Every structure is written in C-alpha cells, then in structure tokens.
Amino acid sequence: MGIVAAIGVLLPFPFYWWLWTNPQSWVNLCGQGRDPSMMMARVSHVLKAAQLLSLFSVASLSWPPPLYFWPLMAFGQFLNFRVYQLLGEAGTYYGVRFGKNIPWVTEFPFGVIRDPQYVGSVMSLLACLSWVPFQYILLWCLGYVFMMFVESKEDPSARAKSIS
C-alpha cells in the first residue's frame, strides 16, 4: 500500500511539469473553443483527489488535532484562497503559459512571500503531520519544491498561441 500511496502523492507533478514545458501541446489537445486553464483545473482537481485519497490510505486520524494544526492549516488555506482570489482560475492554472494576459499582482501575499500558493500548500500539509507518516508529507512537499523550481524558469517565447 505504501508504494501505491507514494505514487498517488506524486501523480500530479509530471502532469504539471508537462503543462509548464509544453503549453502549446495542451492548448492543441484541449481544442478550439475550450479554455485550457479551465481544462487544467478540472484535471488538477481529479489529480488532487487522488493525492488526498493516497494520504488518507496511510493516515491515522485522531481527534483533537495538535495545537500546531490550527494556525498552519488556517494560514496555509488563507494563502491558497488569496492567490486564487487575486489571480482567478486563469492565473492559478497556468493561464500565462496558455497565452492569456494575466495582470501583474503585487498585493499580499505577492511581493512578500515567493510562490505563496506552494507555501500555503506546504503549511497545510505540515499541519497534518500528526496523522500522516512523515515520508508522504515530505514527498508531496518535494513535489511542490520541484514545481517551484520548474516555474521559476518562465520563457515568454515558449508560451502557447491560441488556436481560436
């Protein structure tokens, strides 16, 4: 079960890497008239569900959670919500790589925290350490660090062209 859970935790990261490095392929695959960011969001939600099921399969849930759970989970989810609130679906789901014009955002947490969506997600994962074995949390966090590295190298000339 451990290997299956580890694969489930890592499942989305090759997809995100492929989208980041081959945005035109995704736009072409989505086809004319389909929003590639929305399609990415749909696939991402399915992959996120697989990740969560993988974690639940190895978790030992108990109540009440430790005191560190509440601030980590609350601030982590606040960061994720704030990123989505500021950028919207297109900004959160690689819209800039798919040829969309996403306005530059400088409000908090941008300009204060680098990659706030990943920082928030890591904080939320760390909140679950009392329930989920460390190696699975570490594996998921390493996936986020990998994506932070991949996304730090954005080449505007490699962005997708619309097929409309």
Side-chain angles (χ1 to χ4, degrees):
M1 194 64 188
I3 300 228
V4 173
I7 290 169
V9 164
L10 293 174
L11 199 57
F13 299 112
F15 174 67
Y16 297 147
W17 172 83
W18 178 73
L19 288 178
W20 189 262
T21 57
N22 301 290
Q24 189 64 53
S25 298
W26 181 251
V27 170
N28 295 343
L29 187 63
C30 290
Q32 190 171 3
R34 286 201 174 134
D35 181 359
S37 294
M38 185 181 68
M39 297 304 294
M40 179 189 175
R42 289 180 179 170
V43 172
S44 295
H45 293 322
V46 170
L47 293 173
K48 181 65 70 181
Q51 278 184 308
L52 292 173
L53 285 172
S54 297
L55 278 192
F56 278 121
S57 74
V58 295
S60 301
L61 299 177
S62 61
W63 192 259
L67 290 178
Y68 65 81
F69 171 84
W70 299 109
L72 284 172
M73 185 61 75
F75 193 65
Q77 291 307 300
F78 166 75
L79 287 176
N80 287 331
F81 174 77
R82 184 74 175 136
V83 167
Y84 192 84
Q85 181 185 34
L86 291 171
L87 298 179
E89 185 175 83
T92 305
Y93 293 102
Y94 292 179
V96 71
R97 297 294 291 158
F98 302 138
K100 294 184 176 188
N101 185 17
I102 308 298
W104 190 255
V105 177
T106 57
E107 289 91 5
F108 180 81
F110 294 99
V112 178
I113 300 172
R114 183 175 172 192
D115 297 311
Q117 70 279 16
Y118 293 127
V119 171
S121 295
V122 167
M123 290 177 76
S124 298
L125 283 170
L126 292 176
C128 299
L129 269 174
S130 67
W131 297 316
V132 179
F134 174 74
Q135 62 266 30
Y136 300 101
I137 300 289
L138 178 64
L139 202 55
W140 196 330
C141 290
L142 288 174
Y144 284 140
V145 170
F146 169 72
M147 289 312 302
M148 290 166 68
F149 175 75
V150 167
E151 293 175 9
S152 70
K153 300 170 195 276
E154 207 273 326
D155 178 12
S157 66
R159 292 179 182 168
K161 313 295 183 265
S162 176
I163 61 168
S164 50

